[in-house]
Structure formats: structure tokens, C-alpha cells
Amino acid sequence: MADHMKEKVVTVEYLDVLTATGEKTGISKPRGDIHRDGDYHRAVHVWIFAESTQELLLQLRAECKDSWPGFWDISSAGHISAGDSSLVTARRELQEELGITLPKDAFELLFNFLEQWVTNAGKFINNEFCDVYLVTTKDPIPLEAFTLQESEVSDVKYIPLEEYRSLLAKKDSKYVPYYVNGQYGQLFDILSKRYNQNADERVLNLQKQLNRYAPVSLDAELAGLSDADKEALTSIVKAAKIMDQIALLQAWYSNPSLRDWLELHADESQFDKLKWMYYIVNGTPWSSLDENEAFLTTADSAIKLLPQATKPVTGWNGIEYRTAFPVVKPPGANFYPPDMDKLEFELWKNSLPEDKQKEATGFFTVIKRESERILDESPSQTSQIGTSDAHDLYIVPYSEEYNTFLTKASDLLRKAGDLTDSASLKKLLHSKADAFLSNEYYDSDIAWMDLDSKLDITIGPYETYEDSIFGYKATFEAFVAVRDDEATAQLKLFGDQLQVLEKNLPVDSVYKSEDVTAAPIRVVQLIYNSGDVKGPQTVAFNLPNDERIVKDRGTSMVMLKNVSEAKFKLILEPIAQACISEEQRKYVDFDSFFTHTVCHECCHGIGPHTITLPNGQQSTVRLELQDLHSALEEAKADIVGLWALRFLVNKNLLPDTLIKSMYVSFLAGCFRSVRFGLEEAHGKGQALQFNYLFEKGAFLLHTDGTFSVDFDKVEDAVESLSREILTIQGKGDKEAAKTLLTKHAVITPPLKSALDKLETIKVPVDILPEFPIADEILRKSI
């Protein structure tokens, strides 16, 4: 035999072994062993669907395949190798098998399912968790555009959707079997529903969804502003407008293209106009008042042309595809890779040095994939199959991720700071301009707390509701307002009493803070908001959320009085008429509603924040409760706010006449907030409180369907729930938080009866503000 024979190198593909419920075990094995032993593992399915012909692309499996050789199958599919991710694998498989190179916004995750079958006389056992992706093209891709991987694919063809469903239902011997009457039938059901929807019915549904919002014009008196501040206001509003663009991108990576597409086509029909109008309300394709149910589909989304996604074909311009978004709103928004799970994040985070761990869980960073970056830079790059356990995640600061937007906003804020004659406003605007570029927000947040200006500005990354995986990442927002000096002076009492309230909280002393700084309160008239302000409009906010500042300086709060007045008049008064017993309706008044809102915001600043765990480790409530933190914190601020008002009345600091009004106004407010949906932190927190107090007999349901407060029981019930929530937070007890929310944060029959009544009489769920002053400024600056 020749001495120069080359030895063939066989690359062994390793797969992660999963539990029967899909979690990683930490073990990886060769692919052959996985199927021999029937281990659970992961794979991707990628379907290419042509809109114009309603056809799916199928591939003919090569004869050398160890399962289903020579059968027609999914457009593209493959195992997720050990250490690899789902979306990157889907993109690579499409490129390797069919020669199609597509960006991540072409891939829509439809569903996950467990595929189980045995073939090859029992020698090939498949227990496979599959992520099913859809790529939607406008027209079929010419067959000659494909570059087939000979070892995997021997041919491709298009087949009508319903014909393929029928063949699978009949178990045609030429096709890999999928049980269309089982989980996999979702593929056909989703597409059939998507492209056979009645346009008139969708128009009516969208109009109904829009009608839940009451339009209201929010104005404010600018006469008290200096000429310098009026001049600065133009640059401030323009900077605030940029927050919209960042918030769009933070919600989902194809969101900006969807927005532009809907706006471009808004005048083509009444249907297109309504899609655009309701999108503007939500800022995403998911309806915030409907548990984030999608009101659009990828079929409504933007079409992009990729001339070089495949090999060229004479007379064909390239692939036109729909930018995709999933039916189910991603819990991590666009802060994390869409296919990242908690375990992957935690394993990676724990491998980092302490300073990097703080960055990873910090407010002002996004988490990305190294493999995705490499694939974007070199689309033909293929993965190296092996057993490498190197982590794939890395950190990108906001200042880098949103640099284009933040540079423009920074320049505008610096210009506004140069123009204003208010020293504290100048300091805020200049420090915020610096923070946008440095990613260090501590000094600018302190400057915001110290703001003493007629022109009241809040701008930057603050709230973390959008990150429902961990509650770590902050979204950008802006509130531009004019301070109401008279109302601000009247509310000084709450800030002055903050330490006294902390000392007397109904919770064990070990969970109380020795030093709580009084939260400054500013009452303002809103003239513009932007960024992550979609769906339900806030009536107040308590910031910052940074525990370092809360510990050092406490918090500061802003009350949006004209927003509160609009909500009370347009929503709470009609709710009280419908849902509160006749003898108690007189107690529902704006002063009680607004006073409790103030106290709610104050109570964000008291109670546990930085905590000591049972093992002696220092942590924060936010870090320990993660995705449950926001809902429980909102419930805490509400219920402890009620306790605090009663405490201040007992100390003769507030009038006795407030007692009944505050409880009944709170009861009416429960129905208002729960209508925001249980996916929203305020709605979930309010459902928890209502159901808890109802169970304790503090709230009563009458035969006529109205509710009332039992004044003899409500005080003890409020204190009991306050103690339970504060204790959970003080211990950082996520399991207890989950138990409490699972039991009470639900739509119970009494709640449903009230919500159904409000739906029947069409009481608005929230307001839809218009901002004439800001609109005029933006029109003049075009």
C-alpha cells in the first residue's frame, strides 16, 4: 500500500444532553451516542414560506443521511451543537444546506415542540426539542438560486401549504412524518390564520382596541418660564424625541423597520391607518392592554430586499423578505440574545470577575453573542464542532450600542444647558449629556435629584419593566414638564415624614433602614413625554432605581398632575359610578386619588432595598427577586402607601376626613389598574392587592354587582399585606414572592365581573395624550 495515503479526519459533533423538560444537564455527548441512547437534545427547524404563492420550500434529504434518507423534509434543519445557540444555528444551517445567507431579522420563532420517534429498527431514537423558525419571502426563491450541500440535500421544491398538510395527514411515504393534528399542526394553523384573516374583522378589532384610550390634550402654562428656558426648551424637546428611536430598538431589533413601514403605508387604507395608530399607542406589535398579545403579524411587517443572499440568477433581483417578530413578546426584549435562557446567563455571569458581573447585571448594558457577531461580520463562517465550553455572551455598554442616537441627544442637551439661566438645570443637562457618552449616570442622577428649576426635565434610561427575564436593564424615556410650585409646596409633608414612616413600618426591625433620606417631591404639568412611555400612561414616577443612590441619597419623585386630573375625570369617575356601591361613591374624589399617588411614590423610597441574605452576603431586592421584583415593588408602594396615609392621619398630620375617601378611591383605582393587564407590573400588583383584601373581607361584593369597603376590616388587612410583602423583600425570598403572586395576581370571578361591566359600558382604560406645545416646537424645527 502507498505510504502517502491521507488519513480522513472525522469531526465528531457533540450535543448537549437535556432533561426531559428541556434544561441542560451540563453533559455533552457525540451525536451518534445521543440517538443511540435516546437522550434529550435540541435542534432547529427553519421553514421558508412564499407569501404570493402560499407555498413552503421542502428539501430532499440526501441518501447518505442516517435518518429518513431520500425523504422530503423541512426547508432546513439541524442539531444545536454543544455550546451553540438556537438562532445562530438556524442561520448557519440555512447557509450551509441551501446557500442562503439571511440576517437575524428574517427569522421568526413560531413555537417550540418535542419531537419523538424511533427508526432504523430501534437503533435511532430521537428525543428532540425543536425551535421552529419561519422565514417569510414575498415570492418563491428561484430553485436555481440555491446552492445545495451534497452531503445533506439532494433537491428542493416548493409545495402549496394545504397540499403539504394533506400529504402529512395521509402519512405519505415520500415525506418525513410530522403529526399535523398534534403540536406540529401549529405551523399550518398559524400560517392559515395569518393569511386568511378577514380584513373587515381586523379593522373592527383594531378600532375597538383604540377606543379603550381616551384622547386628551395636555397643555401647560409657559408664562412662568424665563426667556432663556423657553429657548432651551426647543433643544430639550428635540433631544427627548430621540428617546423614541432608542426605545423602539430596545423593544425588539426589527421594531424600527416595522415602525417605518407602517408609517409609510398608513394612508393606503383605513386598515393601514388603524394599524399605524395602534402601533403608535403601544410602540411595538404587542398590545399592552391585552397581556402583550400580538395585534400584528409578520405578514404586516416591512419588506426588505437582499440582492446577494444567494448565488445570482439572471433577471432576478434577489430575496425580498419580511422583517420578523415573534407572536409571543420576548421576555428579554432586545437586551439579551432572543435564544438566551436564564441558566446560560447565570453560568456566564458567574465566570466573570466581580466588576464584570456588576456590568452584566447593571442597568446600562446589553448582552450579545460572540457567535452572532462573527456570523454578521463573516456570513460564510461556520461553527467549529467540538466540546468547547467557552461562553458565547459579552457585554456592550449603552453608550456604544446606541451611540448614534446618544451623540445627537448629548449635543442637544449640551446646547440647551448652555442656553438656560437656571444653574441646577444647566448642571443636569450638561451632566446628562456627559452620561450619554460615558455610560456613567451616577452624577447626572444626583443632578436630577437636586433639580430646582421651573422647567422640569427627566431624560435617560430608568425603568426596568421591559426586561421581564431579570428586571435588570433600563429603557430610555423622557418627561418634559413645568413645575407647579403651589402644589409642590403643599406636598412637602410626605418627604419630611419619610424617616418616621420607615421607622414605623409593619415589618421586623431587621429589615428597616436606619437612615432614609426624605424624597423631594416635585409636582409638574406635563408638556411632552417620549421613549418607553407606551400603553398606560404613568401619573408619577419615583427615581432613580440605582440602589447606590437610593442608599446614599434616597429617591426623588415627580407627580404629573395634569395626567392625574385627566385620568380621574375620564376614567376613575365613570368606574366609580359603575363599580362602587351608591352609598360610598361620594368618597371617591381627586384629592384622595392624588394624595395616595403621592404616597405610593414616597413608599418606593422606604422598605428594603439593599439587603443582607441569610448567608451574610450583601445584595439587593431587585437582584434577588429578578423578574418578580417590579410587580411586587408596585404592590408594596400601593399597599404601604395606604398604611402610611392611615399612620399620618393617626399622627394628626392629615385630616380624619381622608380615611374613608382614600380606601374607597383605592378600591375604584384597583379596577382601573388591573385593566392594564397582568403582564404589566402595575396591573399585576393591583390584582394581588384587590384579591388579598377581598379574601380578608376588606372589600365586599354586593348582589347588584357593586363593591364597597368594610371600614372595620380594611386597616388590619392593609397592614397584614404590607408586612407580608416587606418581609419577602427583606429576605430576598423569590419563592415566597412567586407563591404570593401566583395565588393572588390573577383575574378572580369578582374582578372579572367588574371588568366585564366596564367593558360593556365602554369606560376608557387609559388616556392617549396629545402635546400641542411640543408638537409645535417639533414642527418649527423640521
Side-chain angles (χ1 to χ4, degrees), residues 572-581 585-586 588 706 757 761:
L572 202 65
E573 282 187 342
I575 286 176
Q577 287 298 314
C579 295
I580 302 300
S581 63
R585 285 175 202 155
K586 62 187 177 184
V588 179
T706 63
K757 180 185 289 189
I761 64 176

Side-chain angles (χ1 to χ4, degrees), residues 497-682:
Q497 295 298 314
L498 208 60
Q499 183 63 67
V500 176
L501 291 172
E502 175 77 26
K503 183 179 179 180
N504 288 277
L505 282 173
V507 68
D508 290 348
S509 296
V510 68
Y511 303 126
K512 297 177 184 179
S513 299
E514 292 296 324
D515 183 25
V516 174
T517 305
I521 305 172
R522 310 197 295 257
V523 180
V524 303
Q525 304 288 344
L526 184 67
I527 58 177
Y528 185 59
N529 68 11
S530 60
D532 184 23
V533 292
K534 60 184 177 297
Q537 296 291 306
T538 186
V539 296
F541 48 87
N542 188 80
L543 298 172
N545 288 318
D546 189 333
E547 286 86 359
R548 298 174 303 166
I549 299 176
V550 173
K551 184 179 180 181
D552 295 345
R553 291 281 306 270
T555 58
S556 189
M557 68 186 68
V558 176
M559 315 294 301
L560 310 176
K561 191 170 185 181
N562 53 349
V563 176
S564 292
E565 288 169 336
K567 290 200 180 202
F568 183 82
K569 180 176 181 58
L570 295 171
I571 301 167
L572 202 65
E573 282 187 342
I575 286 176
Q577 287 298 314
C579 295
I580 302 300
S581 63
E582 185 175 358
E583 65 272 16
Q584 289 194 1
R585 285 175 202 155
K586 62 187 177 184
Y587 295 122
V588 179
D589 61 49
F590 176 72
D591 286 343
S592 299
F593 171 68
F594 190 65
T595 301
H596 178 255
T597 303
V598 175
C599 211
H600 168 108
E601 297 304 328
C602 280
C603 289
H604 276 305
I606 60 176
H609 287 278
T610 299
I611 59 176
T612 303
L613 300 178
N615 63 5
Q617 179 184 343
Q618 289 288 302
S619 186
T620 66
V621 178
R622 183 185 301 275
L623 281 174
E624 296 306 313
L625 299 190
Q626 296 180 337
D627 53 308
L628 306 182
H629 172 264
S630 292
L632 204 67
E633 176 61 23
E634 290 304 326
K636 179 208 82 174
D638 254 349
I639 203 71
V640 173
L642 275 183
W643 167 85
L645 289 176
R646 177 75 211 205
F647 178 86
L648 294 173
V649 169
N650 291 344
K651 294 293 182 182
N652 297 317
L653 295 170
L654 289 172
D656 287 344
T657 52
L658 180 65
I659 295 293
K660 292 184 177 180
S661 291
M662 75 181 191
Y663 287 133
V664 181
S665 296
F666 175 80
L667 171 57
C670 285
F671 304 125
R672 180 183 73 87
S673 296
V674 169
R675 297 174 86 204
F676 297 157
L678 299 191
E679 292 298 314
E680 196 270 345
H682 299 80

Side-chain angles (χ1 to χ4, degrees), residues 147-197:
T147 302
L148 306 183
Q149 185 180 17
E150 293 182 4
S151 62
E152 298 283 339
V153 186
S154 57
D155 199 3
V156 290
K157 70 174 182 180
Y158 275 99
I159 185 170
L161 178 69
E162 291 306 322
E163 180 183 339
Y164 182 49
R165 189 209 293 251
S166 176
L167 289 168
L168 291 179
K170 291 186 293 188
K171 300 182 181 179
D172 190 290
S173 61
K174 297 177 183 178
Y175 296 84
V176 175
Y178 294 100
Y179 300 104
V180 292
N181 294 322
Q183 269 192 306
Y184 218 83
Q186 292 177 81
L187 169 68
F188 301 94
D189 294 341
I190 289 170
L191 288 174
S192 295
K193 181 180 178 182
R194 181 172 295 181
Y195 291 96
N196 291 290
Q197 293 185 83

